[in-house]
Amino acid sequence: MLIFHNPVHDKHSGRHEMFRGKLVPCHETPARLEYVLEALKQRGIGELRSPAAPDMALIKRVHAPRYVDFLESAWREWVALDPANAQLDVLPSIWPVRGFRHDVEPTNFSARVGLFSFDSGCPLTAGTWEAATAGAACAIEAARAVSAGHGARAAMALTRPPGHHAGADFFGGYCFLNNAALAAQALRDAGAQRVAVLDVDYHHGNGTQSIFYERGDVLTVSVHGDPTTEYPFYLGYADERGQGAGQDCNLNLPLPAGSDFAAWTRALEQGMDAVRAFKADALVIALGVDTYEGDPISKFKLKSADYLQVGRMLAGLGLPAVFTMEGGYAVADVGVNVANVLEGYAG
């Protein structure tokens, strides 16, 4: 197992997020990754590597160029409006919802923030661009390492901010660049004819689904909390099966809040059956451990020991695999839970 670690992830460190009408401290913090890194080192799991420079051409194939350009310049524009803004984070406050135009990019900064986002809980900070692009580099390098045939059947992009809520041209849900989608595209570019993305985060991977929804070469599968009650609410339903060339290449397996490991395992097995039926050549696992019973913002009931079995189940697919780090907000337990998945996977 190769571990591509983002050495600048902590440069993205949001002060607050908007939640239920008030600003609260961010749940997505640099400490999340530090606990994982420490747990992996203690157990001797994986070979730690730093990524190369991000492949911007690949990033701009998965994400809309105007969106990528906005992310790259957003902090500079924010501070240029008022130097005092350097002490604040960027949070959107207006969005072009139904009936509004999305094709025209306004010059007003606040309007552009809203055009390229879908919630107010995802602060953009001074270090967001650097951290997000380094994370994207981790995902791309992990995919290329697995594809190179040098003995690595699995690799992990150990990075934050996470990625699976980011769409081709929008951020939200703590996510800016979609690491799972970038890894999947890198696997395709390296020769995999069919790639499966299996998302086991508590929250539906709406960004990944939307990026590949009309493609037949990438299967997207997500096991997650029922969107009638759980974030991101507006995607993740079982009747979303793909469109056009992507018809029947999207599988959502929503579960009610409070689901235990037995129910979750049955859904995962159904998702794995879909991966096998798709005859995927390679696999991306969007690994969120916010399915944990102690997670403060999620409502499944998995225990730390269960993640060993999760890893064993995923290994049973027998595919070259890239893990991307997604959610998990019981900070002190995130490291144990991720390490358990990888230990179980390694057998």
mmCIF file of all heavy atoms in Angstrom, residues 291-326:
data_model
loop_
_atom_site.group_PDB
_atom_site.id
_atom_site.type_symbol
_atom_site.label_atom_id
_atom_site.label_comp_id
_atom_site.label_asym_id
_atom_site.label_seq_id
_atom_site.Cartn_x
_atom_site.Cartn_y
_atom_site.Cartn_z
ATOM 1 N N THR A 291 -19.343 7.021 8.970
ATOM 2 C CA THR A 291 -20.342 5.994 9.276
ATOM 3 C C THR A 291 -20.179 5.481 10.710
ATOM 4 O O THR A 291 -20.993 4.680 11.183
ATOM 5 C CB THR A 291 -20.190 4.826 8.302
ATOM 6 O OG1 THR A 291 -18.811 4.444 8.254
ATOM 7 C CG2 THR A 291 -20.645 5.218 6.902
ATOM 8 N N TYR A 292 -19.147 5.943 11.385
ATOM 9 C CA TYR A 292 -18.817 5.536 12.760
ATOM 10 C C TYR A 292 -19.901 5.991 13.747
ATOM 11 O O TYR A 292 -20.451 7.095 13.629
ATOM 12 C CB TYR A 292 -17.469 6.154 13.115
ATOM 13 C CG TYR A 292 -16.982 5.945 14.517
ATOM 14 C CD1 TYR A 292 -16.840 4.665 15.058
ATOM 15 C CD2 TYR A 292 -16.625 7.038 15.302
ATOM 16 C CE1 TYR A 292 -16.352 4.491 16.335
ATOM 17 C CE2 TYR A 292 -16.135 6.870 16.580
ATOM 18 C CZ TYR A 292 -16.008 5.588 17.099
ATOM 19 O OH TYR A 292 -15.530 5.419 18.376
ATOM 20 N N GLU A 293 -20.175 5.153 14.741
ATOM 21 C CA GLU A 293 -21.235 5.440 15.708
ATOM 22 C C GLU A 293 -20.999 6.715 16.517
ATOM 23 O O GLU A 293 -21.946 7.334 16.994
ATOM 24 C CB GLU A 293 -21.387 4.260 16.676
ATOM 25 C CG GLU A 293 -20.146 3.980 17.514
ATOM 26 C CD GLU A 293 -20.314 2.788 18.446
ATOM 27 O OE1 GLU A 293 -21.446 2.248 18.525
ATOM 28 O OE2 GLU A 293 -19.332 2.404 19.105
ATOM 29 N N GLY A 294 -19.726 7.139 16.638
ATOM 30 C CA GLY A 294 -19.431 8.327 17.429
ATOM 31 C C GLY A 294 -19.307 9.601 16.617
ATOM 32 O O GLY A 294 -18.954 10.656 17.167
ATOM 33 N N ASP A 295 -19.605 9.542 15.316
ATOM 34 C CA ASP A 295 -19.443 10.730 14.493
ATOM 35 C C ASP A 295 -20.463 11.802 14.896
ATOM 36 O O ASP A 295 -21.656 11.503 15.063
ATOM 37 C CB ASP A 295 -19.621 10.383 13.017
ATOM 38 C CG ASP A 295 -19.082 11.459 12.110
ATOM 39 O OD1 ASP A 295 -19.843 12.405 11.795
ATOM 40 O OD2 ASP A 295 -17.902 11.382 11.738
ATOM 41 N N PRO A 296 -20.034 13.066 15.050
ATOM 42 C CA PRO A 296 -20.944 14.096 15.556
ATOM 43 C C PRO A 296 -21.969 14.597 14.557
ATOM 44 O O PRO A 296 -22.942 15.239 14.959
ATOM 45 C CB PRO A 296 -19.982 15.227 15.960
ATOM 46 C CG PRO A 296 -18.802 15.062 15.059
ATOM 47 C CD PRO A 296 -18.659 13.575 14.891
ATOM 48 N N ILE A 297 -21.774 14.349 13.253
ATOM 49 C CA ILE A 297 -22.730 14.891 12.288
ATOM 50 C C ILE A 297 -23.378 13.801 11.437
ATOM 51 O O ILE A 297 -24.066 14.106 10.464
ATOM 52 C CB ILE A 297 -22.066 15.961 11.378
ATOM 53 C CG1 ILE A 297 -20.938 15.376 10.535
ATOM 54 C CG2 ILE A 297 -21.565 17.123 12.205
ATOM 55 C CD1 ILE A 297 -20.372 16.372 9.514
ATOM 56 N N SER A 298 -23.179 12.538 11.791
ATOM 57 C CA SER A 298 -23.711 11.430 11.004
ATOM 58 C C SER A 298 -24.411 10.435 11.913
ATOM 59 O O SER A 298 -24.255 10.496 13.135
ATOM 60 C CB SER A 298 -22.579 10.748 10.224
ATOM 61 O OG SER A 298 -21.859 11.710 9.466
ATOM 62 N N LYS A 299 -25.162 9.473 11.306
ATOM 63 C CA LYS A 299 -26.113 8.709 12.121
ATOM 64 C C LYS A 299 -26.147 7.220 11.814
ATOM 65 O O LYS A 299 -27.177 6.584 11.972
ATOM 66 C CB LYS A 299 -27.520 9.312 11.956
ATOM 67 C CG LYS A 299 -27.613 10.776 12.354
ATOM 68 C CD LYS A 299 -28.954 11.379 11.971
ATOM 69 C CE LYS A 299 -28.982 12.869 12.254
ATOM 70 N NZ LYS A 299 -30.238 13.496 11.750
ATOM 71 N N PHE A 300 -25.030 6.648 11.368
ATOM 72 C CA PHE A 300 -24.942 5.205 11.276
ATOM 73 C C PHE A 300 -24.272 4.668 12.545
ATOM 74 O O PHE A 300 -23.805 5.440 13.388
ATOM 75 C CB PHE A 300 -24.168 4.770 10.034
ATOM 76 C CG PHE A 300 -24.939 4.913 8.742
ATOM 77 C CD1 PHE A 300 -24.269 4.822 7.528
ATOM 78 C CD2 PHE A 300 -26.305 5.120 8.720
ATOM 79 C CE1 PHE A 300 -24.959 4.950 6.317
ATOM 80 C CE2 PHE A 300 -26.998 5.248 7.526
ATOM 81 C CZ PHE A 300 -26.311 5.169 6.314
ATOM 82 N N LYS A 301 -24.189 3.353 12.649
ATOM 83 C CA LYS A 301 -23.792 2.736 13.922
ATOM 84 C C LYS A 301 -22.591 1.799 13.788
ATOM 85 O O LYS A 301 -22.458 0.833 14.543
ATOM 86 C CB LYS A 301 -24.989 1.970 14.512
ATOM 87 C CG LYS A 301 -26.219 2.830 14.791
ATOM 88 C CD LYS A 301 -25.926 3.919 15.803
ATOM 89 C CE LYS A 301 -27.161 4.758 16.102
ATOM 90 N NZ LYS A 301 -26.839 5.895 17.018
ATOM 91 N N LEU A 302 -21.689 2.042 12.845
ATOM 92 C CA LEU A 302 -20.516 1.191 12.736
ATOM 93 C C LEU A 302 -19.571 1.429 13.899
ATOM 94 O O LEU A 302 -19.414 2.565 14.364
ATOM 95 C CB LEU A 302 -19.783 1.456 11.424
ATOM 96 C CG LEU A 302 -20.306 0.712 10.183
ATOM 97 C CD1 LEU A 302 -21.689 1.190 9.792
ATOM 98 C CD2 LEU A 302 -19.331 0.847 9.019
ATOM 99 N N LYS A 303 -18.947 0.354 14.361
ATOM 100 C CA LYS A 303 -17.959 0.430 15.430
ATOM 101 C C LYS A 303 -16.555 0.343 14.828
ATOM 102 O O LYS A 303 -16.378 -0.108 13.692
ATOM 103 C CB LYS A 303 -18.186 -0.703 16.437
ATOM 104 C CG LYS A 303 -19.582 -0.695 17.059
ATOM 105 C CD LYS A 303 -19.744 -1.831 18.053
ATOM 106 C CE LYS A 303 -21.177 -1.900 18.591
ATOM 107 N NZ LYS A 303 -21.584 -0.643 19.240
ATOM 108 N N SER A 304 -15.563 0.738 15.604
ATOM 109 C CA SER A 304 -14.198 0.748 15.076
ATOM 110 C C SER A 304 -13.781 -0.615 14.547
ATOM 111 O O SER A 304 -13.158 -0.721 13.472
ATOM 112 C CB SER A 304 -13.218 1.223 16.154
ATOM 113 O OG SER A 304 -13.375 2.611 16.391
ATOM 114 N N ALA A 305 -14.119 -1.684 15.268
ATOM 115 C CA ALA A 305 -13.734 -3.024 14.833
ATOM 116 C C ALA A 305 -14.374 -3.406 13.505
ATOM 117 O O ALA A 305 -13.816 -4.211 12.744
ATOM 118 C CB ALA A 305 -14.103 -4.044 15.901
ATOM 119 N N ASP A 306 -15.523 -2.828 13.179
ATOM 120 C CA ASP A 306 -16.202 -3.157 11.925
ATOM 121 C C ASP A 306 -15.380 -2.756 10.705
ATOM 122 O O ASP A 306 -15.511 -3.365 9.635
ATOM 123 C CB ASP A 306 -17.562 -2.448 11.862
ATOM 124 C CG ASP A 306 -18.543 -2.951 12.898
ATOM 125 O OD1 ASP A 306 -18.427 -4.122 13.314
ATOM 126 O OD2 ASP A 306 -19.429 -2.161 13.306
ATOM 127 N N TYR A 307 -14.552 -1.747 10.854
ATOM 128 C CA TYR A 307 -13.804 -1.267 9.694
ATOM 129 C C TYR A 307 -12.754 -2.269 9.234
ATOM 130 O O TYR A 307 -12.339 -2.244 8.065
ATOM 131 C CB TYR A 307 -13.193 0.098 9.993
ATOM 132 C CG TYR A 307 -14.255 1.175 10.113
ATOM 133 C CD1 TYR A 307 -14.620 1.683 11.353
ATOM 134 C CD2 TYR A 307 -14.916 1.641 8.982
ATOM 135 C CE1 TYR A 307 -15.607 2.651 11.468
ATOM 136 C CE2 TYR A 307 -15.904 2.606 9.085
ATOM 137 C CZ TYR A 307 -16.255 3.107 10.326
ATOM 138 O OH TYR A 307 -17.238 4.052 10.429
ATOM 139 N N LEU A 308 -12.314 -3.169 10.096
ATOM 140 C CA LEU A 308 -11.441 -4.257 9.648
ATOM 141 C C LEU A 308 -12.173 -5.127 8.632
ATOM 142 O O LEU A 308 -11.617 -5.497 7.595
ATOM 143 C CB LEU A 308 -10.992 -5.095 10.842
ATOM 144 C CG LEU A 308 -10.017 -4.426 11.814
ATOM 145 C CD1 LEU A 308 -9.999 -5.169 13.138
ATOM 146 C CD2 LEU A 308 -8.614 -4.396 11.203
ATOM 147 N N GLN A 309 -13.437 -5.435 8.930
ATOM 148 C CA GLN A 309 -14.240 -6.235 8.006
ATOM 149 C C GLN A 309 -14.526 -5.470 6.723
ATOM 150 O O GLN A 309 -14.525 -6.055 5.626
ATOM 151 C CB GLN A 309 -15.554 -6.640 8.675
ATOM 152 C CG GLN A 309 -16.515 -7.418 7.788
ATOM 153 C CD GLN A 309 -15.966 -8.760 7.325
ATOM 154 O OE1 GLN A 309 -14.980 -9.242 7.869
ATOM 155 N NE2 GLN A 309 -16.594 -9.342 6.320
ATOM 156 N N VAL A 310 -14.736 -4.171 6.824
ATOM 157 C CA VAL A 310 -14.937 -3.358 5.618
ATOM 158 C C VAL A 310 -13.733 -3.499 4.685
ATOM 159 O O VAL A 310 -13.880 -3.722 3.482
ATOM 160 C CB VAL A 310 -15.172 -1.880 5.983
ATOM 161 C CG1 VAL A 310 -15.199 -1.008 4.721
ATOM 162 C CG2 VAL A 310 -16.466 -1.713 6.772
ATOM 163 N N GLY A 311 -12.542 -3.378 5.249
ATOM 164 C CA GLY A 311 -11.340 -3.522 4.443
ATOM 165 C C GLY A 311 -11.237 -4.888 3.804
ATOM 166 O O GLY A 311 -10.874 -5.012 2.621
ATOM 167 N N ARG A 312 -11.559 -5.934 4.547
ATOM 168 C CA ARG A 312 -11.496 -7.294 3.986
ATOM 169 C C ARG A 312 -12.490 -7.455 2.843
ATOM 170 O O ARG A 312 -12.189 -8.090 1.829
ATOM 171 C CB ARG A 312 -11.758 -8.318 5.092
ATOM 172 C CG ARG A 312 -10.603 -8.459 6.092
ATOM 173 C CD ARG A 312 -10.783 -9.657 6.994
ATOM 174 N NE ARG A 312 -11.799 -9.436 8.004
ATOM 175 C CZ ARG A 312 -11.563 -8.980 9.240
ATOM 176 N NH1 ARG A 312 -10.325 -8.684 9.606
ATOM 177 N NH2 ARG A 312 -12.546 -8.832 10.101
ATOM 178 N N MET A 313 -13.692 -6.891 3.015
ATOM 179 C CA MET A 313 -14.703 -6.993 1.966
ATOM 180 C C MET A 313 -14.238 -6.291 0.688
ATOM 181 O O MET A 313 -14.360 -6.826 -0.415
ATOM 182 C CB MET A 313 -16.022 -6.388 2.440
ATOM 183 C CG MET A 313 -16.702 -7.183 3.544
ATOM 184 S SD MET A 313 -18.194 -6.345 4.168
ATOM 185 C CE MET A 313 -19.284 -6.485 2.726
ATOM 186 N N LEU A 314 -13.686 -5.110 0.829
ATOM 187 C CA LEU A 314 -13.236 -4.358 -0.341
ATOM 188 C C LEU A 314 -12.094 -5.083 -1.051
ATOM 189 O O LEU A 314 -12.034 -5.103 -2.284
ATOM 190 C CB LEU A 314 -12.805 -2.961 0.078
ATOM 191 C CG LEU A 314 -13.921 -2.052 0.620
ATOM 192 C CD1 LEU A 314 -13.336 -0.771 1.200
ATOM 193 C CD2 LEU A 314 -14.937 -1.730 -0.464
ATOM 194 N N ALA A 315 -11.214 -5.681 -0.282
ATOM 195 C CA ALA A 315 -10.108 -6.435 -0.882
ATOM 196 C C ALA A 315 -10.623 -7.609 -1.694
ATOM 197 O O ALA A 315 -9.991 -8.030 -2.673
ATOM 198 C CB ALA A 315 -9.151 -6.911 0.203
ATOM 199 N N GLY A 316 -11.776 -8.132 -1.311
ATOM 200 C CA GLY A 316 -12.350 -9.271 -2.010
ATOM 201 C C GLY A 316 -12.719 -8.987 -3.451
ATOM 202 O O GLY A 316 -12.920 -9.925 -4.233
ATOM 203 N N LEU A 317 -12.799 -7.727 -3.826
ATOM 204 C CA LEU A 317 -13.075 -7.399 -5.223
ATOM 205 C C LEU A 317 -11.880 -7.719 -6.122
ATOM 206 O O LEU A 317 -12.026 -7.880 -7.331
ATOM 207 C CB LEU A 317 -13.449 -5.924 -5.365
ATOM 208 C CG LEU A 317 -14.846 -5.549 -4.857
ATOM 209 C CD1 LEU A 317 -15.004 -4.036 -4.798
ATOM 210 C CD2 LEU A 317 -15.925 -6.165 -5.757
ATOM 211 N N GLY A 318 -10.685 -7.784 -5.530
ATOM 212 C CA GLY A 318 -9.501 -8.191 -6.278
ATOM 213 C C GLY A 318 -9.081 -7.242 -7.377
ATOM 214 O O GLY A 318 -8.474 -7.674 -8.369
ATOM 215 N N LEU A 319 -9.364 -5.953 -7.209
ATOM 216 C CA LEU A 319 -9.047 -4.970 -8.246
ATOM 217 C C LEU A 319 -7.943 -4.026 -7.797
ATOM 218 O O LEU A 319 -7.817 -3.731 -6.607
ATOM 219 C CB LEU A 319 -10.296 -4.134 -8.562
ATOM 220 C CG LEU A 319 -11.447 -4.857 -9.244
ATOM 221 C CD1 LEU A 319 -12.676 -3.968 -9.283
ATOM 222 C CD2 LEU A 319 -11.056 -5.292 -10.657
ATOM 223 N N PRO A 320 -7.137 -3.527 -8.728
ATOM 224 C CA PRO A 320 -6.251 -2.411 -8.380
ATOM 225 C C PRO A 320 -7.113 -1.277 -7.822
ATOM 226 O O PRO A 320 -8.153 -0.932 -8.408
ATOM 227 C CB PRO A 320 -5.619 -2.023 -9.723
ATOM 228 C CG PRO A 320 -5.807 -3.218 -10.595
ATOM 229 C CD PRO A 320 -7.063 -3.885 -10.153
ATOM 230 N N ALA A 321 -6.681 -0.697 -6.709
ATOM 231 C CA ALA A 321 -7.576 0.215 -5.993
ATOM 232 C C ALA A 321 -6.853 1.475 -5.535
ATOM 233 O O ALA A 321 -5.696 1.434 -5.115
ATOM 234 C CB ALA A 321 -8.198 -0.489 -4.785
ATOM 235 N N VAL A 322 -7.588 2.572 -5.611
ATOM 236 C CA VAL A 322 -7.142 3.851 -5.064
ATOM 237 C C VAL A 322 -8.154 4.283 -4.007
ATOM 238 O O VAL A 322 -9.355 4.366 -4.295
ATOM 239 C CB VAL A 322 -7.040 4.933 -6.154
ATOM 240 C CG1 VAL A 322 -6.676 6.279 -5.537
ATOM 241 C CG2 VAL A 322 -6.029 4.537 -7.213
ATOM 242 N N PHE A 323 -7.671 4.537 -2.800
ATOM 243 C CA PHE A 323 -8.508 5.098 -1.740
ATOM 244 C C PHE A 323 -8.335 6.616 -1.730
ATOM 245 O O PHE A 323 -7.206 7.116 -1.812
ATOM 246 C CB PHE A 323 -8.087 4.571 -0.369
ATOM 247 C CG PHE A 323 -8.372 3.117 -0.127
ATOM 248 C CD1 PHE A 323 -7.522 2.129 -0.615
ATOM 249 C CD2 PHE A 323 -9.482 2.727 0.611
ATOM 250 C CE1 PHE A 323 -7.772 0.785 -0.378
ATOM 251 C CE2 PHE A 323 -9.746 1.387 0.859
ATOM 252 C CZ PHE A 323 -8.885 0.413 0.369
ATOM 253 N N THR A 324 -9.433 7.340 -1.625
ATOM 254 C CA THR A 324 -9.359 8.781 -1.384
ATOM 255 C C THR A 324 -9.999 9.079 -0.038
ATOM 256 O O THR A 324 -11.057 8.550 0.284
ATOM 257 C CB THR A 324 -10.064 9.583 -2.491
ATOM 258 O OG1 THR A 324 -11.459 9.246 -2.544
ATOM 259 C CG2 THR A 324 -9.418 9.333 -3.839
ATOM 260 N N MET A 325 -9.362 9.923 0.730
ATOM 261 C CA MET A 325 -9.848 10.247 2.075
ATOM 262 C C MET A 325 -10.996 11.238 1.979
ATOM 263 O O MET A 325 -10.842 12.325 1.444
ATOM 264 C CB MET A 325 -8.697 10.830 2.905
ATOM 265 C CG MET A 325 -9.071 11.148 4.341
ATOM 266 S SD MET A 325 -9.399 9.670 5.305
ATOM 267 C CE MET A 325 -10.257 10.378 6.715
ATOM 268 N N GLU A 326 -12.132 10.835 2.551
ATOM 269 C CA GLU A 326 -13.305 11.713 2.539
ATOM 270 C C GLU A 326 -13.653 12.112 3.974
ATOM 271 O O GLU A 326 -12.833 12.667 4.676
ATOM 272 C CB GLU A 326 -14.465 11.017 1.809
ATOM 273 C CG GLU A 326 -14.139 10.582 0.381
ATOM 274 C CD GLU A 326 -13.912 11.721 -0.606
ATOM 275 O OE1 GLU A 326 -14.203 12.895 -0.276
ATOM 276 O OE2 GLU A 326 -13.432 11.438 -1.721
#
